[in-house]
Amino acid sequence: MSNIIQLLERMGQDAELQTQANLEQAITEAKLSETLKASLLNRDDISLKRELDICPDVVAFLLPAEDEQDPKDEPQNDDPEQDKAVNQ
């Protein structure tokens, strides 16, 4: 795994690998599996991701909790008879 990482790092840093011939030479000389080499040479990012077993991005959402209702906001019972019935 570190060989492919080193090659990808080199590809990003080395301006000489911007030409197709130099890039192909660097890929073929690298100590990689044939499937990785083929993916790089064909510029097939999907098979490269599969070969490297790259997981898709994980997305998480946080939602704020609902506010608790204040006792002041609760409806008040103005009927004293109903209060008596509840208290008995």
Side-chain angles (χ1 to χ4, degrees):
M1 181 68 136
S2 64
N3 290 334
I4 184 66
I5 301 299
Q6 289 173 352
L7 178 62
L8 292 172
E9 181 181 14
R10 184 173 162 218
M11 288 168 60
Q13 292 177 347
D14 193 350
E16 290 181 10
L17 296 181
Q18 297 301 314
T19 64
Q20 188 65 27
N22 290 345
L23 180 62
E24 288 177 4
Q25 182 181 0
I27 292 171
T28 54
E29 290 175 355
K31 295 177 183 176
L32 302 174
S33 68
E34 293 303 317
T35 53
L36 281 175
K37 287 180 183 181
S39 297
L40 289 170
L41 290 171
N42 296 329
R43 297 178 188 260
D44 185 4
D45 64 326
I46 294 172
S47 65
L48 184 62
K49 288 176 187 176
R50 269 192 223 122
E51 192 69 28
L52 295 176
D53 193 27
I54 296 175
C55 297
D57 293 338
V58 176
V59 178
F61 293 95
L62 297 176
L63 300 174
E66 293 184 19
D67 292 337
E68 292 184 17
Q69 193 173 17
D70 282 340
K72 298 176 202 171
D73 296 339
E74 293 180 8
Q76 296 288 331
N77 251 349
D78 293 334
D79 189 9
E81 286 184 27
Q82 189 176 12
D83 288 341
K84 287 181 188 177
V86 171
N87 291 331
Q88 290 179 0

